[in-house]
Amino acid sequence: MTTSTAIPAAIGPADSGAPAPVPSTTLLRTLRRRRSSGPERRSYAARLIVVIASCVVLLFPLYWMIVVAFSPREELLTRQLRLWPQQFTLDNFDTVFSSFPIATWFGNSIAIAMVVTALTVSMNLLSGYAFAHLRFPGNNVTFLLTLSTLMLPVQVIMVSQFKLVTQLGIYGTYWAVILPSAATAFGIFLSRQFIIGIPREIIEAARMDGAGAFRIFIQIVLPLCKPLIAVLVLLTFLSTWNDFAWPLIALKENQLFTLPIGLLFLQGQFGSDYGAIMAFALLSVLPMILLFVLFQRYFVQGFARSGIR
C-alpha cells in the first residue's frame, strides 16, 4: 500500500502562510553581515581590552595613593612590594591633622576656588557672548589678541603681576590670588565657540521684542549654556585648587596658605613619611574627584558642543 502526497506546483503566500521570497540583494547583505560578525566581534573585544588597560594605567596612581595613605609606616619601609595593605591604619591622617592646620588650609582653598570660579565663569560667559553675538569696532582683533595671550607662560607675567598687586595694596591677602584669575583666555575662547552655536534667529527675535543685550544673555543664552557652565566650573575650580606658584608668592601668612603650599611644608618636615604625604595628597584630591563625578556628563557635552575635539 503506497501513500502519495500531492505537491502543488505553486503555492502563494496567501495559501500556505510562508514568507515571501527574499530578494537577492537582501540575501547578499545578510550573508555579508554574518561573515563580518566574527571580525567585528574581535575588533570590539580588542578595543575593549585597550580601554580597560588604559583605565588601569590612569587609575593606578590614585589607587597607589590610597594604599600608601592607609598603610602603616613600618610596612612602607620594608622591601616587599604589597599592592594591598596588610592592616589599615588612620595614623597617617592623625599625623597630618595634628601637625598642621589642615582645616584652615582646606577652608582657604575652598573659599579662594569658589570665589575665583564664580568671577571667572561670569567674566568668561559675558565675554564669550559679546564676541559671539555683539558687533562692535575691533571685535575680531580684540578676540585674536585675547587668544594670543595663550602663548605666554604664566611665569612670564609673574613679576608684572606681583608689582600690580603690590601697588593695589592687596599683597598678602586673598584678593591677590583671586583678582589676577578673574578671567582666562581659554575660557573666553570656549564660551565664544559654544555661544556662537546658538541660532542667531533666537537672538534677533528677542531684540525685536524689545529685549536688551543683558536680558537676552540672562533669559535666553544662559539657560542654553548649562554644559558650558559645567565645563568652565570644573576647569576653573581644578586649576585654582591645584595652583601653587602664584599663591606661594602672593600669600605670606601661614593662616592664609592653601593645600598645595601646605603640601610643600609637609614634604619638608616629613620627607621620609610617605604615608603622611600620601594622606595629605589624598585629602587634596578627593574634592576634585567628587566634582568631576558630579559634572562629567555636562563636561563631555560642553566640549562636544563647543567644537573642541
Side-chain angles (χ1 to χ4, degrees):
M1 183 176 178
T2 59
T3 304
S4 61
T5 304
I7 302 176
I11 301 178
D15 299 333
S16 61
V22 180
S24 58
T25 55
T26 307
L27 181 60
L28 289 176
R29 292 176 183 175
T30 305
L31 292 175
R32 289 174 182 173
R33 290 176 184 174
R34 292 179 178 177
R35 291 177 182 176
S36 62
S37 61
E40 287 181 358
R41 291 177 181 176
R42 289 192 293 268
S43 176
Y44 175 77
R47 293 196 299 267
L48 183 61
I49 292 173
V50 171
V51 170
I52 294 175
S54 302
C55 292
V56 170
V57 172
L58 293 175
L59 294 177
F60 184 78
L62 179 62
Y63 166 77
W64 187 248
M65 183 189 300
I66 297 173
V67 170
V68 176
F70 288 96
S71 298
R73 185 176 183 182
E74 297 78 12
E75 186 176 334
L76 296 175
L77 295 178
T78 60
R79 295 185 178 181
Q80 296 180 358
L81 178 62
R82 296 185 177 92
L83 296 179
W84 191 256
Q86 290 185 344
Q87 60 179 4
F88 282 86
T89 180
L90 297 176
D91 294 339
N92 298 321
F93 294 92
D94 293 337
T95 301
V96 170
F97 279 100
S98 61
S99 302
F100 295 97
I102 302 299
T104 301
W105 293 347
F106 193 87
N108 294 337
S109 296
I110 288 287
I112 292 175
M114 290 183 64
V115 176
V116 169
T117 300
L119 288 177
T120 304
V121 172
S122 301
M123 294 299 297
N124 290 341
L125 289 173
L126 288 170
S127 302
Y129 169 69
F131 284 124
H133 288 290
L134 298 182
R135 292 293 175 261
F136 54 90
N139 186 338
N140 296 328
V141 175
T142 307
F143 180 68
L144 291 177
L145 290 176
T146 303
L147 289 184
S148 64
T149 60
L150 291 173
M151 297 183 292
L152 297 176
V154 180
Q155 293 78 10
V156 174
I157 62 174
M158 277 189 176
V159 176
S160 301
Q161 200 166 276
F162 178 78
K163 292 182 178 180
L164 179 62
V165 297
T166 303
Q167 293 174 357
L168 292 176
I170 59 176
Y171 172 70
T173 64
Y174 289 140
W175 293 109
V177 180
I178 294 172
L179 291 182
S181 304
T184 59
F186 180 75
I188 294 174
F189 166 73
L190 197 66
S191 301
R192 189 246 186 195
Q193 293 302 110
F194 188 97
I195 296 175
I196 204 172
I198 298 176
R200 186 173 292 275
E201 291 78 8
I202 301 177
I203 309 296
E204 295 298 332
R207 288 175 181 169
M208 293 180 63
D209 290 339
F214 189 73
R215 184 178 179 184
I216 294 174
F217 174 76
I218 295 295
Q219 297 185 355
I220 296 178
V221 176
L222 275 187
L224 299 175
C225 292
K226 292 181 180 178
L228 172 63
I229 294 173
V231 172
L232 293 177
V233 167
L234 186 61
L235 293 179
T236 306
F237 198 94
L238 178 62
S239 62
T240 307
W241 185 271
N242 294 328
D243 194 9
F244 170 75
W246 178 243
L248 182 63
I249 297 173
L251 301 175
K252 56 184 179 180
E253 295 183 6
N254 189 12
Q255 296 298 321
L256 299 179
F257 287 165
T258 57
L259 286 177
I261 304 176
L263 183 59
L264 175 65
F265 282 87
L266 180 67
Q267 290 177 345
Q269 186 170 346
F270 299 97
S272 60
D273 194 350
Y274 303 109
I277 295 175
M278 288 302 173
F280 193 106
L282 182 61
L283 291 174
S284 63
V285 166
L286 283 179
M288 296 298 98
I289 297 176
L290 180 61
L291 190 66
F292 180 77
V293 170
L294 294 176
F295 286 92
Q296 63 174 344
R297 181 167 64 92
Y298 296 106
F299 183 75
V300 176
Q301 292 178 2
F303 269 112
R305 294 179 58 183
S306 300
I308 307 297
R309 298 294 186 268

